Amino acid sequence: VPLPGNPRSLAFLAETAEQILDLAVQNDSGVARYRLQNNVLQPLGSYTLDNKAMRGLYLESGDPDGDGTTELAAVWAEDLKGIYEGTDSQLRSTILESDQSGFTASNGPHAFVRLIGNRGLVRSRGTYEVWSGPVLPLFPTAHGWEAGNKAVPWAQSNLFDITPLDKTTALQWTADQQLRLVSLDNGLPLPGGTLLYDLGEYVGARIAVPLETPEYRSGFSKEDVVRETWATLPPRIAIAADGTAYTIRRERSMGLPLVGKASGQDHLVALHWNGQRLMVTEPCAGIEAFILDFALVHHQGR
């Protein structure tokens, strides 16, 4: 089913009946709501950004206020470009709830926001670094949604490197894009919890952060100066009701510049912890296309 608008990320909203799914798709101009039935995509309204300079980073779904209604956290970046400061990706988040016309929008923190299950989590971006301060809970207020004051127990971890599986363990991306199981109490790897499996090189949403001291690559002309660094967010990790984790394995490549053609397959993989080691299965066949994002749909106990 072709999706219009150059989509960046998607999120599952609800299953209304047999093979009828409501979903949300983020692009650079906003978030659109659709109903998918028998491979037919029906628009159900949208939220449009008031700032045309924004670009979509990612979309999360969950129920952080516990009211039984699914909320969406849409996170955006505005790339501010200064002559002497370099590119600076300023963050903005919007919390959305479905209504008759598409969505009701509330302002969220100017920070990274994740919705993991029924919990909202926030971490700020620093002036000269991607991450600043601890991981904080997300709360609704009279003026929108804001970060709380009490840090979560694993507060100093990177908000995207860590995905809690339960109250004691989490999956963590390492610096070389490998996954391992760690304790939420002390952050230490669990024996047998390192995934000896190549998930490929995934390049997702990118964040520009100015360098406090500009660097020179080759010479000393203004064309040689580097004023920012770019950070890449890892692929989504989604947790099913039975505790199985899903993520993307990248095997497809663009080929050689100018002359090559894209080739290979991307896969959705499942990660299982059997108490002794972290195991991988491939529940779906690979596809000859780049997987940008995915969502889990719980249907008839599966």
Side-chain angles (χ1 to χ4, degrees):
V1 182
L3 289 173
N6 193 18
R8 300 285 189 181
S9 185
L10 66 83
F12 173 65
L13 289 173
E15 181 181 20
T16 59
E18 184 74 18
Q19 295 183 332
I20 301 178
L21 306 177
D22 283 1
L23 55 96
V25 177
Q26 179 194 41
N27 56 38
D28 289 343
S29 61
V31 177
R33 182 182 171 194
Y34 295 102
R35 179 157 293 169
L36 179 64
Q37 182 180 13
N38 298 327
N39 286 341
V40 176
L41 205 61
Q42 175 189 355
L44 297 179
S46 63
Y47 162 76
T48 302
L49 281 170
D50 54 8
N51 187 340
K52 301 298 183 183
M54 292 287 187
R55 59 183 173 91
L57 294 180
Y58 60 92
L59 193 65
E60 300 266 4
S61 64
D63 185 16
D65 57 4
D67 64 354
T69 302
T70 299
E71 280 85 22
L72 296 171
V75 182
W76 323 87
E78 181 180 9
D79 296 327
L80 304 179
K81 298 182 180 181
I83 298 176
Y84 302 106
E85 296 81 12
T87 304
D88 187 354
S89 296
Q90 293 293 308
L91 301 177
R92 170 179 162 184
S93 66
T94 309
I95 310 301
L96 304 169
E97 291 193 37
S98 300
D99 64 10
Q100 296 289 336
S101 61
F103 297 107
T104 299
S106 302
N107 292 326
H110 288 222
F112 296 100
V113 174
R114 288 192 71 185
L115 302 184
I116 301 177
N118 293 328
R119 190 169 193 187
L121 300 168
V122 181
R123 195 169 188 199
S124 298
R125 216 216 74 185
T127 303
Y128 300 111
E129 56 273 333
V130 181
W131 310 104
S132 176
V135 177
L136 300 168
L138 178 72
F139 290 107
T141 70
H143 306 289
W145 292 71
E146 299 176 0
N149 297 319
K150 186 177 180 181
V152 301
W154 45 278
Q156 298 306 321
S157 298
N158 177 326
L159 185 57
F160 284 88
D161 283 356
I162 288 281
T163 299
L165 291 177
D166 49 41
K167 294 182 179 180
T168 60
T169 60
L171 282 170
Q172 180 187 52
W173 290 104
T174 64
D176 56 355
Q177 290 194 331
Q178 297 296 308
L179 275 175
R180 63 184 182 183
L181 201 66
V182 298
S183 167
L184 277 178
D185 291 333
N186 53 30
L188 296 177
L190 272 64
T194 299
L195 186 64
L196 303 177
Y197 186 85
D198 186 8
L199 293 172
E201 183 180 1
Y202 181 92
V203 179
R206 301 172 76 231
I207 314 296
V209 181
L211 294 173
E212 187 171 9
T213 303
E215 300 174 354
Y216 290 87
R217 284 183 176 156
S218 54
F220 292 97
S221 68
K222 62 180 181 180
E223 289 81 11
D224 298 317
V225 67
V226 179
R227 301 186 184 278
E228 73 279 315
T229 183
W230 289 84
T232 300
L233 299 182
R236 182 186 298 277
I237 294 178
I239 313 299
D242 63 358
T244 302
Y246 293 83
T247 192
I248 297 169
R249 176 160 70 93
R250 178 76 83 216
E251 280 195 336
R252 189 168 177 82
S253 68
M254 290 295 295
L256 296 175
L258 302 179
V259 297
K261 295 176 62 178
S263 62
Q265 295 183 333
D266 278 2
H267 298 256
L268 196 68
V269 297
L271 310 175
H272 314 265
W273 171 248
N274 65 2
Q276 296 181 325
R277 67 188 183 98
L278 198 58
M279 304 174 62
V280 178
T281 59
E282 295 186 2
C284 309
I287 61 170
E288 293 190 1
F290 291 100
I291 299 178
L292 301 181
D293 202 4
F294 68 94
L296 301 183
V297 178
H298 298 286
H299 178 68
Q300 295 182 350
R302 299 169 56 192

